[in-house]
């Protein structure tokens, strides 16, 4: 499941969302518990711009999204993201 989520978080189609989600994945995906992975999967079913605007605080997310612990982590990540130059993280090598 983590590999599929990693791919989905890197290849969204909108650069802003790709950068936000891929940097979040690089930092948090390996440590997320199964419940958060399931919530993240549900979150990724939404439209890219919605995810970006919700995470950046530009618009309010629906209540079912706002209450997800993984969404709170994503929102915290988005708030700190402007502190450095953002680029697509390298894929892990195995």
């Amino acid at each position: 499941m983590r590999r599929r989520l990693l791919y989905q978080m890197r290849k969204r189609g909108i650069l802003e969302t790709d950068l936000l989600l891929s940097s979040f994945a690089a930092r948090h995906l390996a440590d997320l518990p199964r419940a958060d992975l399931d919530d993240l999967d549900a979150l990724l079913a939404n439209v890219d711009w919605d995810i970006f605007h919700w995470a950046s605080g530009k618009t309010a997310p629906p209540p079912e999204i706002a209450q997800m612990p993984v969404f709170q982590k994503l929102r915290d990540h988005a708030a700190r993201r402007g502190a450095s130059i953002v680029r697509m993280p390298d894929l892990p090598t195995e």
Side-chain angles (χ1 to χ4, degrees):
M1 179 179 217
R2 288 181 206 279
R3 287 179 188 224
R4 179 177 56 80
L5 290 172
L6 177 61
Y7 179 81
Q8 289 177 326
M9 294 172 83
R10 292 179 60 90
K11 303 293 183 185
R12 299 298 297 182
I14 296 174
L15 179 60
E16 291 86 346
T17 309
D18 288 349
L19 292 172
L20 173 64
L21 293 176
S22 65
S23 61
F24 178 81
R27 179 173 228 150
H28 298 287
L29 189 61
D31 299 324
L32 291 177
R34 179 61 191 223
D36 283 352
L37 294 175
D38 291 339
D39 285 346
L40 183 58
D41 196 22
L43 176 64
L44 294 177
N46 290 280
V47 176
D48 289 5
W49 280 121
D50 288 345
I51 295 170
F52 182 78
H53 288 150
W54 297 337
S56 63
K58 300 217 183 287
T59 60
E64 64 273 10
I65 299 293
Q67 68 186 13
M68 293 177 178
V70 74
F71 177 73
Q72 294 303 318
K73 288 178 188 176
L74 178 62
R75 184 171 262 180
D76 292 344
H77 178 77
R80 288 190 301 272
R81 197 176 62 121
S84 63
I85 296 173
V86 178
R87 68 172 188 80
M88 186 76 70
D90 296 328
L91 284 171
T93 57
E94 294 181 341

